[in-house]
């Protein structure tokens, strides 16, 4: 057996301890709390009863399935809009013929470092039918008839917030794909040019297969990030995720349940059950990627 590299242990130990204290321990404590409840002012072990209430009791299940469906729609918009736009922007910005590419990259990436509170409040002002600038901007190009109080209508509110989130975070997939494109060896591209594969054809036949692993990782990050979403919905629509819970997602549902809101008392045990369900959904999604999509990506690797 080789010698134990104690310097590695020493340098890793602080990070492992901090991560355990702020991530691992709270996670297991949340899972533990989900198995308890209060009966006659005493905490008792109830097993999976909280999960049965969450999934089957009409008082809880209606809100849970509504929030879960909204979460999937929120995620789907990011997958179908944000990531393809990010790939397209990365492909354009990686072109050596494009001037001021660094300026464009910076401008697109800047919104990702803005606070959720700033973004939510700013877009509420922009889209306000009373004092927002969106009506006048659409009027200036002759499209004022298309304006509607998008954040105030049940059928539009969640999609509008998802598109705002896309605007804020499209810079992340763009930069990751941009880095992946720059890492492609020039020899492969030159060999393609010899065979007459240039321009857009080179992207589809050479670059895209090589960056598919990066796209898969971005997909997982998008899935995890969207099912942990909370900040933007809370900043723009409040804890009630209005109108009429049409923008309610698992994060806001868990917040109201765990901490309480207005006349609703906080229930840490049911809140922990919701948080555990969120963890289970994310874990299942990641496992599907690891054992399913990853195998398919191997067929595209050279």
């Amino acid at each position: 057996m080789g010698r134990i590299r104690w310097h590695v242990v020493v340098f890793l130990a602080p990070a492992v301890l901090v991560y355990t204290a702020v991530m691992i321990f709270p996670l297991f404590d949340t899972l533990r709390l989900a198995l308890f409840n209060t009966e006659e002012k005493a905490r008792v072990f109830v097993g999976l009863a909280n999960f049965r209430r969450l999934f089957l009791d009409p008082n809880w299940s209606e809100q849970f399935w509504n929030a879960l469906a909204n979460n999937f729609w929120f995620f789907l918009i990011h997958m179908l809009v944000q990531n393809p736009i990010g790939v397209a922007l990365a492909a354009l910005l990686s072109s050596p013929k494009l001037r001021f590419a660094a300026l464009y990259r910076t401008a697109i990436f800047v919104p990702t470092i803005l606070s959720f509170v700033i973004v939510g409040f700013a877009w509420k002002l922009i889209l306000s039918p009373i004092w927002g600038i969106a009506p006048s901007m659409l009027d200036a190009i002759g499209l004022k008839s298309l304006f509607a109080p998008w954040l105030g209508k049940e059928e539009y509110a969640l999609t509008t917030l998802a598109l705002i989130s896309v605007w804020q975070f499209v810079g992340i997939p763009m930069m990751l794909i941009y880095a992946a494109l720059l890492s492609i060896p020039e020899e492969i591209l030159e060999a393609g040019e010899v065979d007459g594969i240039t321009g857009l054809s080179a992207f589809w036949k050479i670059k895209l297969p090589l960056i598919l692993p990066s796209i898969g990782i971005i997909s997982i990050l998008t899935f995890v990030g969207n099912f942990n979403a909370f900040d933007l919905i809370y900043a723009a629509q409040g804890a009630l995720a209005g109108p009429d819970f049409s923008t309610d997602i698992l994060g806001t549902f868990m917040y109201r349940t765990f901490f309480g809101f207005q006349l609703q008392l906080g229930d840490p045990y049911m809140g922990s059950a919701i948080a555990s369900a969120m963890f289970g959904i994310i874990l299942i999604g990641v496992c599907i990627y690891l054992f399913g999509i990853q195998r398919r990506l191997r067929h595209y690797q050279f």
Side-chain angles (χ1 to χ4, degrees):
M1 294 181 63
R3 295 176 55 189
I4 298 177
R5 299 181 178 180
W6 290 106
H7 65 283
V8 176
V9 176
V10 170
F11 282 108
L12 285 179
V16 171
L17 290 174
V18 171
Y19 186 80
T20 301
V22 301
M23 294 293 293
I24 303 300
F25 176 75
L27 171 62
F28 282 99
D29 195 49
T30 299
L31 298 175
R32 180 186 63 83
L33 278 177
L35 303 177
F36 290 84
N37 212 327
T38 301
E39 294 182 6
E40 298 180 356
K41 298 183 179 180
R43 187 170 70 177
V44 296
F45 180 80
V46 295
L48 300 178
N50 289 334
F51 294 98
R52 285 195 294 269
R53 291 175 62 195
L54 182 64
F55 300 144
L56 302 175
D57 186 342
N59 294 326
W60 291 94
S61 62
E62 184 177 352
Q63 296 183 71
F64 174 77
W65 295 116
N66 172 66
L68 182 60
N70 289 341
N71 245 135
F72 270 111
W73 179 244
F74 196 76
F75 162 70
L76 189 63
I77 290 177
H78 282 77
M79 282 294 295
L80 298 181
V81 179
Q82 174 185 277
N83 291 351
I85 291 177
V87 173
L89 289 173
L92 289 173
L93 294 175
S94 64
S95 173
K97 298 180 181 179
L98 181 66
R99 300 179 61 187
F100 309 114
L103 177 63
Y104 301 143
R105 288 199 307 271
T106 303
I108 296 170
F109 190 78
V110 161
T112 64
I113 64 177
L114 296 178
S115 166
F116 286 100
V117 176
I118 294 174
V119 172
F121 186 70
W123 276 99
K124 282 197 72 173
L125 291 178
I126 292 171
L127 299 177
S128 171
I130 300 175
W131 52 72
I133 63 173
S136 58
M137 291 179 65
L138 289 175
D139 188 29
I141 58 177
L143 297 176
K144 188 176 181 179
S145 60
L146 298 178
F147 178 78
W150 291 303
L151 289 177
K153 289 194 171 184
E154 294 181 27
E155 59 269 31
Y156 301 137
L158 183 62
T159 302
T160 301
L161 287 171
L163 293 175
I164 292 173
S165 179
V166 166
W167 167 83
Q168 183 178 10
F169 290 109
V170 72
I172 293 178
M174 179 198 72
M175 292 303 294
L176 293 175
I177 296 299
Y178 178 77
L181 289 172
L182 292 184
S183 67
I184 297 176
E186 287 292 332
E187 295 80 4
I188 296 178
L189 300 178
E190 292 172 358
E193 292 179 2
V194 173
D195 292 334
I197 304 175
T198 58
L200 192 60
S201 179
F203 176 79
W204 287 107
K205 295 182 178 180
I206 299 176
K207 294 181 180 179
L208 184 60
L210 288 173
I211 64 174
L212 278 178
S214 297
I215 293 176
I217 293 172
I218 291 170
S219 299
I220 283 297
L221 293 176
T222 303
F223 178 79
V224 174
N226 280 268
F227 274 85
N228 278 319
F230 166 77
D231 313 71
L232 180 62
I233 305 293
Y234 182 81
Q237 303 295 84
L240 292 178
D244 195 24
F245 301 104
S246 60
T247 59
D248 196 22
I249 57 176
L250 292 174
T252 51
F253 179 39
M254 187 273 291
Y255 173 85
R256 290 196 311 274
T257 304
F258 198 105
F259 297 102
F261 187 75
Q262 294 181 352
L263 297 179
Q264 178 180 347
L265 297 177
D267 187 341
Y269 304 109
M270 286 302 297
S272 297
I274 298 171
S276 299
M278 293 171 63
F279 173 73
I281 292 168
I282 293 172
L283 184 62
I284 291 171
V286 172
C287 288
I288 290 174
Y289 166 73
L290 293 177
F291 296 106
I293 300 177
Q294 195 174 41
R295 293 180 180 177
R296 296 182 182 180
L297 293 177
R298 292 173 184 170
H299 296 294
Y300 295 95
Q301 295 179 352
F302 291 103

